[in-house]
Structure formats: C-alpha cells, structure tokens
Amino acid sequence: MKSHAKVVVIGGGVVGCSVLFHLARAGWTDVVLLERDELTSGSTWHAAGGMHTINGDPNVAKLQKYTIELYKEIEELSGQATGVHVTGGVLLAATEARMDWLRGVVAKGRYLGLDLEEISAEEAHRLMPLIDPKQFVGAVRNSEDGHLDPSGVTQAYAKAARKLGAEVERFTRVEDIKRRPDGQWDVVTNKGTVVAEHVVNAGGLWAREVGRMVGLELPVLAMEHMYLITEDMPEVAEINASTGKEVIHAVDFDGELYLRQERGGMLMGTYEKANQPWSEQVTPWDFGHELLEPDIDRIAPSLEVGFRHFPAFQKTGIKQIINGPFTFAPDGNPLVGPVRGLPGFWCACGVMAGFSQGGGVGLALSNWMIHGDPGFDIWAMDVARYGDWASMAYTNAKVRENYSRRFSIRFPNEELPAGRPLKTTPVYDLLAARGAQFGVAYGLEVPLWYAPAGVKDEFSWRRSSDFSHVAKEVAAVRNGVGLSEISSFAKYRVTGEGAEAWLDRMLACNLPKPGRMTLAPMLKEDGKLIGDFTLARLPAADAGGAPNPDEWLIFGSGIAEQYHMRWFEQHLPVDGSVRVEALGLGRVGLSIAGPEARKVLEKVTKADVSNAAFPFMAVRKMDIGMAPCVVGRVSYTGDLGYELWMAPEYQRAVFHTLMEAGAEFGIGLFGSRALNALRLEKNYGSWAREYRPIYGPLEAGLDRFVAYNKTADFIGKAGAAAEKASGGKLRLRAFVMDADDADVIGDEAIWHGGKVVGWVTSGGYAHNAARSVAMGYVPKAVADKADGFEIELLGKRHRARLQPGALFDADFKRMRG
Ligand SMILES: Cc1cc2nc3c(=O)[nH]c(=O)nc-3n(C[C@H](O)[C@H](O)[C@H](O)COP(=O)(O)OP(=O)(O)OC[C@H]3O[C@@H](n4cnc5c(N)ncnc54)[C@H](O)[C@@H]3O)c2cc1C
C-alpha cells in the first residue's frame, strides 16, 4: 500500500468506487480506495439493482440521468459487464391527487430531457400486463427505468478507475483519521498509515463511524429494507414470449411498491409504514455479507395491496425475501461535499439510491475536489444543508418518517411532523396562541400563516383552506401594518481590522457607508452566484456620539447558514484580522411593514425615524421600548417597513411593545405565505429559489447590485464581466398567468411558441394585486417577448404574460417614502 496519496477514498461500495473512477477520469490518478473487506461489502451487494431518473429535486434528477447514461462507458472501459437492462417502466397512480403529482413530474421531465408521458391505466396495463388497470386512475410511462447487477457496476467502476491509474486496497480497514500539522491527513489503517491531502468518506453503512473519526456526527441512519422474489410465474413467461422483452418496471406509489422482473419471476420491494432502523447508534464492524432476518408481518399490509394491484402475485409462491440495511439522510437525499471546518475532508454518503445517484455523486464530488466547484446545482445533496441541530435523535425521527413516506405525496402546503418542534424562538408560544401554523426552516419553527380556531391546512395541489386567511394577512400589511417573525434569516457578524477589505473582496457590491445597508450578491470564481445578502454597516458612533468599532452584519438565507459559513471560512485570511460569526438564534428578529409601520415605530422609540433621519436602507441601533435593537429600514414585503434585530431575551418584550403600539393601526400578524404573496408582486427573488449557483448575476437580474468597476478584485469579477459582455444565456422573469384554482409552486415547465423553454423557480397568488404570479428562467432570446408564454400547471398549459415591472409600488413611493 502506498504511504502517500492525493486522495484516500474510504469505502468500496458503489459510491466510493464511482468517486474513485471520476477522480481518475478527470486526471487525479494519485488516488487510492481503502476497503475493509471485499468491494461491495456494505449495502451495495444486496441491492435490488433498480435505476430510475425521477427525483423530487430536478437537479438530482439530472444527475440520475447522467448516472444511467454512464454505465455504457464504464462497461466499455473496464470490460466488466454491468448487467444493465433499460426496460422502461410505468409510474402508477391510484388516486387523482397522485395523478396531479405525476403530471408535475412529466412537466419537469420536459425541460430535464426525460422521456416521460402521461398514459391511461389501460395503456399502462398494455405495457405491463401484470397490472390490474381497475386499481389505477392513470400512469406515466418512463423509457429510462431499468435494472442492473449491483456487484458488476461496482466492479466496473473500480476496474475502470484502476485502468486509469487509481489504486484499490481491499481488506484495509481505516481505524482512525488524524489531522497533521501540515494540514494533510493521516489515514490510519490495519495495514499502516497513508498520508493524504484529501479524504473522502464513502463509508456507506459505516459513514457515521468514519465521520466520528474526525469528530463529526453525520445525520445518517440505516434502515432495514425488504424485497421479495417470487417463484417463476407463467404470466411472466407469457409476456416475455409475446413481446420478446422483459416485463417492464413498475412503481406503484399508492401501494408503496416497486416491481421488476427477476429471472422467470418478479421482484417486489416495499417501503412499509412500520419501518425498522438498523444499528441506531453504532454500526458493528463485523457486519459483512450477511442478510437480516425477514419480517413478513411488517410488509404484509404492503404486500396485500400489491397482490390486489398485481393479481398474478396471488397465484405464485415467494422464493426468497431479502432484508438488508442501507443509509438515509433525514430528507432522503445524499450528503455530498466538503465539510465546514475540516479542510480536505469530503462526504459522499447517505446515498440511498446508489445505482441511480452514484455516478452523479462521483462526478459532482470529483469536480468539487479538482475545480473547487461541483459544476452543477447540487444544493439538494449538499452536506451543508444540515447543521449541528440535525442530532442523532432528530435524524432517527426524520429518516423513519422519510422512509415511511418514500412513495407518499407531499403536497405543497404539507408540513411533515417528525422531529418537531426542535428549535423555537422566544415568541413561539405567543404566535401559536394567535393561531400560527408552523413550518420548518433549518430546524427552526417558522410561522406560515395564522388560522382562526378550528381551521387548519387541508393538503392540496390547489388553493386551500389558508387562501382567504393569507389574503387577510396581506391586506393588513398593504392597508395598515403587519408584524412578522423573521428569526429564520441567517445573520452573520463580521468584525476585525481586515473586515472592510475582506468584504470588498467577498462581495460583488459596493460596500455601504456607516449607517447604511445594501443588497450584496456574492459570486464564485466563475462569476455565478453563491449568495445574495443584505449587508449592513453599523454607524460609526452610537446615538450619544461614542465611537463604535467597525461592525458589519450580513443577513441571508437561513437554510444556507452552514453553506455560507463554509464559504466564508474557506476564504478567511490566515492572519486572524477578520472574524465571522454565524449568530444563529443568538440574534432573533421581528419585522413591521405597511403604510402605518413608521407610525408604530415612532411610538416605541425615542430615535428620530422620520424619512429624512432614517431613510430607506438606513440602519442603526435604537431602543424599542426598553430593549436594545438594531433596526434596518428595509422590508422584503417591498413596502415601507423595518427589520428589528435583538438578543433573544428581548424578543417577547419587543413583540408586546409593537403589538400594543400597533393596536390603534389595526396591526395584524403575517406569516411566510403572506410574505411570499407580497414579495411576488415586487418581483423579488430569493436564495435557493431564484438565486442559485448555476445563474450569473445578469441572468438573475442582480447585476444592478454588482460593482463591475469597483477597485477591489472581488471573487468572480472576471466571470461577472464575461457574463456581462456575452449577455449570459438565461433571464429570470416574472409572469402573470391565467390560473383558476391553483398556482405554481416551482419546477413547472415554461413554454414559448409551443416549445418548453424554461422552468419556474417559485410563484403563488399575489393577493394584493389579485394575480397568479410565477417567476422562472427562460432563454435570453425569448425573455422579452410579451406574448406567447404558457406555464404548465397540473397537466394543463396556462397562458402567461411577462410582468416586467412590479405589480405593486413600481415607482417605489411607498417603500422609499
Ligand atoms: C435491500 C436493498 C435494496 C436496495 N435496492 C436498491 C435499488 O434497487 N436501487 C438502488 O439504487 N439502490 C438500492 N439500494 C440502496 C443501495 O444499496 C445503496 O444506495 C448503495 O449500496 C450505497 O452504496 P455506498 O457505497 O454508499 O455504501 P455501502 O455499500 O455501504 O459501501 C460502503 C463500503 O465502505 C466500506 N467501509 C466502511 N467503513 C470503512 C472503513 N473504516 N475502512 C474501509 N472500508 C470501509 C464498507 O466495507 C463498504 O464496502 C438497496 C439497498 C438495500 C439494502
């Protein structure tokens, strides 16, 4: 075994082997994979070998398509058969709600280049005769589904990697990982130590244990999973004989089942409700190529449905039941990328669909390691989407929920209950007492809307029980004043003598003067977005004239706190001249907005908050009632408004102060659904929806905040200039669409001139403007055409008109007045 390597990949399952292959293919050949046993000694060997392109996240779906297309290449390169059979498949719907969901999948598939088609239940039966069409209302045909030999694929990755110069060491168990003084890693094994610049945790079933070696508690849990294989079935033989082909795949969402042919019989797997975690605390090192005891009682309810939906199963015997463990992250997507605070330590774990996703994970990770960027939008798989709050118990609750809901519909207004409430702010119970219905962002309970007694969300793809109540919240803001809790924003404090120069390099905007705020895009080296913030520079002196040290606050997307901290810390100067802290819930917030907001503020502070003294985008410290706060004159509602930030111990006092002062103006509480309705009529985008790392600032309409000519050599300056010169490819646009009882939520297809040209990033009903609004990206060439757009919603194309200006306060009189 070599003593030094650029990269050590820990784990020879399908994921580790894919990472190794991708590194070697990209030219990093000083790489070695360490496997404690034979290759495939984790969950890989007993997988059912199914592969499919669809995924709830379109970007993950793209990487799944890449994975499936890769198999031919690794088979040719390695000379190792992968056993890939692309049979095609049907996705079945037993309810209309499921069919609505599938229609959304088809619409997404159009711009992802997936071959999906809505078909009737009878047509599905014709394609897959084991189906009882009476049990279903419709289906979708998918030409890219199929299956493969799990061991063959893994060996093919490994052999192809070896041919390219990579090494594989079997029976080499990593026992410890230690940081060396020179920043490299000592990877300690039972056969000696390898010094490595980079370490990849592809430990699969042992990913937690490998993480613990460097002090990480990864949010990963293994679950038992069962599938059965039937005796040979005459119906299968008949289909094979009459079509000359294998029986195609089927996913029966409502039965929570998947099926494919296995030799002369069928394989049926289930995601049962009464699921069972495996090795909840520690994975035993001596677990190898053994299977777990099947528990037929646990899957009996699913099998009962299966036997009804696929009647031929009633007449056949079960040859074998396989029960094996495999790992999940709380949301079921992989955990990929560099780990904050551990330079050179990378994750490629929590991959629950290794044969659909392994290739994409390997490609994204190798790009990231070699080029500093995954090259795709992989937010849905980024390990940084979790923070310390994703504890072992939280993970356990969420993984179990996710497993039991693997094939369940999640409606756009449906909040899942497991692992909650976990993080709450001091006003949580005050808001709950006033009817707040909560959702979750980054583990924190956030008010979505306020329901009268006895009313709650009715889950639907269409406008639902909250509609008229959200309309009232919106009206409270636009006609008087509203109050909302804004603690879910991420807040960072930047201090130190080097802060100003560092921010000037990190952010693409001009820095504000003391006492001012600005919108601040942050770019990557390639000039694309990696953040979109509000940057506040606190005044140089306090109200009494005493000087303040230079202090900057950055406000950004709450869900991206770990993601942005990782980026900030990767770019901090080593001399300690800059300090960045994520304030988390050490700083909480409330916001007031609407035409009467200033009058409310005037009543609760001695500070001069007149328009002249405290204009739009001003920021300063002031007492609100008795509580010290930082107040910024800005509001995502696009109205006259203020954001008030305080230490948590003051939040209740500030809440009561504002509510009492606002009573005479009819102050109303509003939640994030009303905020969505308000920001949509201003064409305001947000991080993770409109602003993502695949868009340039010009494409995203943030170019007006980019100081292309500022002296500082900010990160992404050349890339941004190149985008400006070329004009980029896409444009973010807002549309008003003809919609009757449903509004877009995101990921719908945008058509122009009878062709799919783009995708929706978000939308909803803008109650004040009384319009259904969608935001999304379209090619530059059609971006300014007023007519000809349609947006596909629940299987129907709706006329959409470009909405270039804001529907509300287009001349900024309210916001700046
Ligand atoms: C019953 C069942 C059916 C499934 N069906 C499908 C399916 O149809 N389609 C699909 O895509 N997926 C399926 N899966 C899931 C699939 O098996 C996993 O997604 C995949 O195997 C994950 O691969 P991995 O490489 O991440 O982990 P693993 O396969 O667990 O590999 C991890 C490897 O790392 C090694 N290792 C760990 N720690 C160390 C260490 N310290 N030192 C050295 N080596 C170490 C282990 O020995 C192991 O070989 C199924 C899983 C099960 C259990």
Side-chain angles (χ1 to χ4, degrees), residues 478 593 635-641 675 678-679 682 684 808-809 812 814-816:
R478 288 290 187 242
S635 172
Y636 195 47
T637 61
D639 218 312
L640 170 66
L675 186 60
L678 293 159
R679 64 103 194 172
K682 290 291 291 184
Y684 287 169
F808 170 75
D809 198 30
F812 306 109
R814 273 273 279 269
M815 187 171 80
R816 295 173 191 268

Side-chain angles (χ1 to χ4, degrees), residues 11 13-15 35-36 41 43-44 48-50 174 204-205 324 326 351 353-355:
V14 63
V15 174
E35 166 55 50
R36 64 181 186 110
S41 290
S43 51
T44 295
V174 174
L205 289 178
F326 66 129
V351 184
F355 300 96

Side-chain angles (χ1 to χ4, degrees), residues 10-16 34-36 38 40-44 46-50 172-174 202-206 210 213 225 227 258 285 322 324-326 351-356:
I10 303 172
V14 63
V15 174
L34 306 180
E35 166 55 50
R36 64 181 186 110
E38 286 287 4
T40 77
S41 290
S43 51
T44 295
H46 48 233
T172 308
R173 179 174 139 193
V174 174
L205 289 178
W206 294 266
V210 173
M213 292 177 193
H225 181 67
Y227 61 83
Y258 58 88
W285 285 109
I322 305 283
F326 66 129
V351 184
M352 62 77 52
F355 300 96
S356 301

Side-chain angles (χ1 to χ4, degrees), residues 85-96:
H85 294 227
V86 180
T87 59
V90 283
L91 311 170
L92 299 162
T95 63
E96 279 302 334

Side-chain angles (χ1 to χ4, degrees), residues 11-317:
V14 63
V15 174
C17 290
S18 166
V19 171
L20 190 76
F21 164 74
H22 281 91
L23 287 169
R25 190 179 70 173
W28 275 23
T29 51
D30 181 17
V31 292
V32 57
L33 181 148
L34 306 180
E35 166 55 50
R36 64 181 186 110
D37 201 308
E38 286 287 4
L39 296 181
T40 77
S41 290
S43 51
T44 295
W45 74 272
H46 48 233
M51 55 181 198
H52 46 84
T53 46
I54 70 160
N55 185 283
D57 184 278
N59 298 295
V60 178
K62 271 188 225 166
L63 289 174
Q64 294 190 180
K65 186 172 160 63
Y66 163 80
T67 300
I68 292 170
E69 288 166 358
L70 180 68
Y71 291 133
K72 204 183 268 174
E73 180 184 332
I74 58 165
E75 194 167 87
E76 277 167 15
L77 232 150
S78 65
Q80 160 78 48
T82 56
V84 168
H85 294 227
V86 180
T87 59
V90 283
L91 311 170
L92 299 162
T95 63
E96 279 302 334
R98 170 63 66 186
M99 206 53 228
D100 279 345
W101 178 81
L102 279 176
R103 288 183 186 117
V105 171
V106 173
K108 246 187 261 184
R110 292 193 212 286
Y111 62 79
L112 292 172
L114 308 182
D115 181 27
L116 303 172
E117 183 195 11
E118 184 180 337
I119 58 175
S120 67
E122 284 69 32
E123 180 68 2
H125 173 247
R126 206 184 56 71
L127 293 172
M128 205 293 197
L130 302 181
I131 295 167
D132 175 3
K134 293 194 292 299
Q135 306 291 337
F136 298 98
V137 301
V140 163
R141 180 193 59 72
N142 180 7
S143 68
E144 282 146 315
D145 278 0
H147 59 92
L148 45 72
D149 165 18
S151 171
V153 162
T154 310
Q155 298 290 352
Y157 275 129
K159 281 187 188 163
R162 273 203 217 98
K163 278 201 171 164
L164 293 165
E167 291 178 31
V168 175
E169 295 287 345
R170 294 171 305 141
F171 304 102
T172 308
R173 179 174 139 193
V174 174
E175 293 172 339
D176 203 0
I177 307 167
K178 292 190 222 156
R179 168 71 85 195
R180 292 163 56 90
D182 63 3
Q184 299 191 82
W185 298 96
D186 275 336
V187 182
V188 183
T189 79
N190 55 338
K191 294 188 178 166
T193 295
V194 190
V195 179
E197 238 174 87
H198 301 273
V199 174
V200 178
N201 176 2
L205 289 178
W206 294 266
R208 270 180 321 187
E209 282 65 25
V210 173
R212 284 171 192 158
M213 292 177 193
V214 292
L216 259 186
E217 191 59 49
L218 287 166
V220 173
L221 176 69
M223 298 294 288
E224 293 191 11
H225 181 67
M226 280 180 270
Y227 61 83
L228 61 83
I229 296 169
T230 68
E231 305 283 0
D232 288 358
M233 294 165 71
E235 294 83 353
V236 169
E238 200 182 303
I239 296 167
N240 294 160
S242 61
T243 62
K245 291 187 189 145
E246 268 180 286
V247 180
I248 66 169
H249 272 232
V251 178
D252 172 5
F253 291 98
D254 303 280
E256 291 157 346
L257 301 161
Y258 58 88
L259 289 82
R260 70 166 172 85
Q261 183 170 345
E262 172 69 17
R263 299 178 192 275
M266 291 294 293
L267 178 155
M268 183 187 271
T270 74
Y271 281 88
E272 69 281 6
K273 290 273 179 265
N275 50 54
Q276 184 60 44
W278 179 75
S279 291
E280 291 174 72
Q281 312 279 328
V282 180
T283 307
W285 285 109
D286 60 358
F287 184 76
H289 274 240
E290 59 262 39
L291 287 168
L292 307 174
E293 196 57 38
D295 181 352
I296 190 121
D297 289 346
R298 217 165 67 223
I299 57 172
S302 305
L303 296 187
E304 209 175 288
V305 180
F307 291 2
R308 199 168 63 241
H309 288 184
F310 308 92
F313 278 78
Q314 293 165 18
K315 298 178 280 172
T316 195

